[in-house]
Amino acid sequence: MSLMIRRAEQSDAPAIAELQQITWRETYSGLLPTPVLDGLALPRLYRTWRAELIRQDGDLDHGIFVAETEDGKALGYATCGAASGQAAEILGDGEIHQIYVKASHQGRGLGRALMLACSRWLLMRGLFSGGLWVVKGNEKARTFYESIGGKIAGDKRDSMQGWQIPVVGYTWTDLDELAGLESEVPSWL
């Protein structure tokens, strides 16, 4: 099966909305309160992603990527852009806002490929350091970020639908470290 990573387009909004619903339920079952996961209604997610993809067209620092099969079946997605506020103070210049891969396709290099796409995007925009936030109890993701050189930079609480969720920041002081993942990404890219 041939796979690819590409910059998302406005027509990808339904597929990314569905991916978010699936991957969040796979990833966060038992980690996030049930009402948060039950609130992942496709019509609302679709509107959110349509707006994000429109925003991407007007904001050159905002990147959204999709991982898909050669026949266009979406398997993962990632978003990144310039960090701001507290995130910039802790994470650095750039932030990877989201990165998710369907559980059925994890361990095949898609996460590394999406991280590579985000790091290249940020570097091309002059954002040389960066990081991301991960739910504190998400050990699988934390192990992944640590395996690709992420260093713990701090923690905080994020508010999700009124719930306070503990998150941990991972940073890369030089995003060239992530750009070096190219040798670890499968040849299907």
Side-chain angles (χ1 to χ4, degrees):
M1 172 189 305
S2 182
L3 303 170
M4 65 183 238
I5 307 292
R6 65 172 176 78
R7 189 160 184 234
E9 301 170 353
Q10 289 183 31
S11 61
D12 292 313
I16 297 174
E18 185 177 332
L19 261 177
Q20 182 178 4
Q21 184 186 60
I22 291 167
T23 58
W24 275 51
R25 289 179 175 165
E26 290 173 342
T27 302
Y28 297 124
S29 179
L31 291 177
L32 294 182
T34 301
V36 172
L37 298 177
D38 289 347
L40 295 171
L42 281 178
R44 184 180 56 78
L45 292 174
Y46 169 71
R47 286 190 304 274
T48 298
W49 282 106
R50 185 178 61 193
E52 282 297 303
L53 290 161
I54 290 169
R55 181 179 142 213
Q56 172 186 248
D57 289 344
D59 180 354
L60 297 179
D61 286 338
H62 189 61
I64 303 173
F65 300 92
V66 64
E68 66 183 6
T69 61
E70 61 190 14
D71 62 350
K73 183 177 179 183
L75 304 172
Y77 71 95
T79 68
C80 61
S84 62
Q86 182 188 19
E89 292 173 23
I90 295 173
L91 301 179
D93 302 330
E95 182 174 357
I96 298 168
H97 303 287
Q98 296 188 58
I99 177 167
Y100 293 96
V101 174
K102 281 186 172 180
S104 60
H105 286 78
Q106 291 177 2
R108 300 180 188 193
L110 287 173
R112 289 180 188 273
L114 287 165
M115 290 293 286
L116 175 62
C118 286
S119 65
R120 285 179 175 168
W121 185 262
L122 295 170
L123 284 166
M124 286 183 350
R125 274 136 192 85
L127 305 170
F128 300 110
S129 63
L132 52 79
W133 296 100
V134 60
V135 172
K136 191 172 189 172
N138 188 348
E139 293 302 327
K140 188 172 186 176
R142 293 183 67 180
T143 299
F144 170 67
Y145 299 132
E146 290 169 11
S147 77
I148 58 174
K151 304 291 184 231
I152 294 176
D155 57 14
K156 66 175 186 166
R157 292 191 170 275
D158 270 354
S159 181
M160 287 186 195
Q161 298 176 15
W163 300 87
Q164 294 298 307
I165 310 299
V167 295
V168 178
Y170 280 86
T171 63
W172 290 263
T173 55
D174 184 351
L175 286 174
D176 272 334
E177 296 169 29
L178 282 176
L181 288 174
E182 189 150 10
S183 64
E184 299 179 37
V185 171
S187 60
W188 43 255
L189 270 181

